[in-house]
Amino acid sequence: MSDARKPSTQDARLEQVFGGPLDQLHQRAVRPGSSPALVRALELRAFLALAEAQVVRVRDRVHAAMSPDAELDSLSSDTLRFDAEWLEAALAGRTGYRIALEKLLSAMPPPAARPPAAPLQVRSAVVGSGLRPAPTGAEDVAAARGR
């Protein structure tokens, strides 16, 4: 599972604010003309998911070391101090990403107040029509100079 698809504690909030399931939001984010706020929110969400996975990994390692079946001879205060530092760093990262994501999401207008997305302009191809394409501004200038 890629980091972008790991679950995070803010998934439901993102789905609520942007009005769709996470898979759909990821699809919308890669389309041309996608909302910069959506792209940024999903990027922050991926960072948050990674930080949360780090917190869980360190927590589980400490729990395993402290479990009742663990060998007393395997306990090391140095290792636990190191894990405490890692946990502190992971929690600080998680907190920072949550704050940044919350600031972004709270700045978003409610879904009903947002303007609809601009329609994509689709150009149809005319094959074999024999029509020349419309001249560009540069071609007009060149033609005027040649006269």
Side-chain angles (χ1 to χ4, degrees):
M1 179 181 293
S2 79
D3 293 333
R5 301 301 172 126
K6 286 182 184 190
S8 88
T9 57
Q10 299 301 303
D11 290 352
R13 176 103 163 91
L14 280 164
E15 290 174 345
Q16 174 192 14
V17 169
F18 288 103
L22 213 52
D23 286 340
Q24 203 176 72
L25 297 180
H26 281 284
Q27 290 172 1
R28 281 180 18 205
V30 297
R31 289 186 191 144
S34 65
S35 160
L38 174 61
V39 172
R40 179 62 54 94
L42 291 176
E43 183 178 34
L44 283 169
R45 186 211 157 277
F47 295 156
L48 174 63
L50 180 58
E52 289 176 343
Q54 290 170 334
V55 169
V56 168
R57 189 176 307 130
V58 175
R59 180 203 61 195
D60 292 348
R61 188 169 51 237
V62 170
H63 281 190
M66 301 303 292
S67 79
D69 340 348
E71 290 290 325
L72 290 178
D73 292 337
S74 68
L75 280 177
S76 165
S77 59
D78 287 337
T79 301
L80 289 173
R81 257 191 301 280
F82 187 67
D83 282 339
E85 289 174 11
W86 272 40
L87 185 59
E88 188 175 332
L91 287 170
R94 177 182 182 263
T95 299
Y97 292 130
R98 283 182 62 128
I99 290 170
L101 187 57
E102 184 53 40
K103 283 181 181 179
L104 176 69
L105 296 179
S106 64
M108 297 288 301
R114 290 184 204 144
L120 296 176
Q121 292 183 353
V122 179
R123 300 173 95 186
S124 60
V126 179
V127 179
S129 69
L131 298 175
R132 293 184 52 201
T136 64
E139 291 171 358
D140 292 339
V141 171
R145 285 185 185 156
R147 287 184 191 158

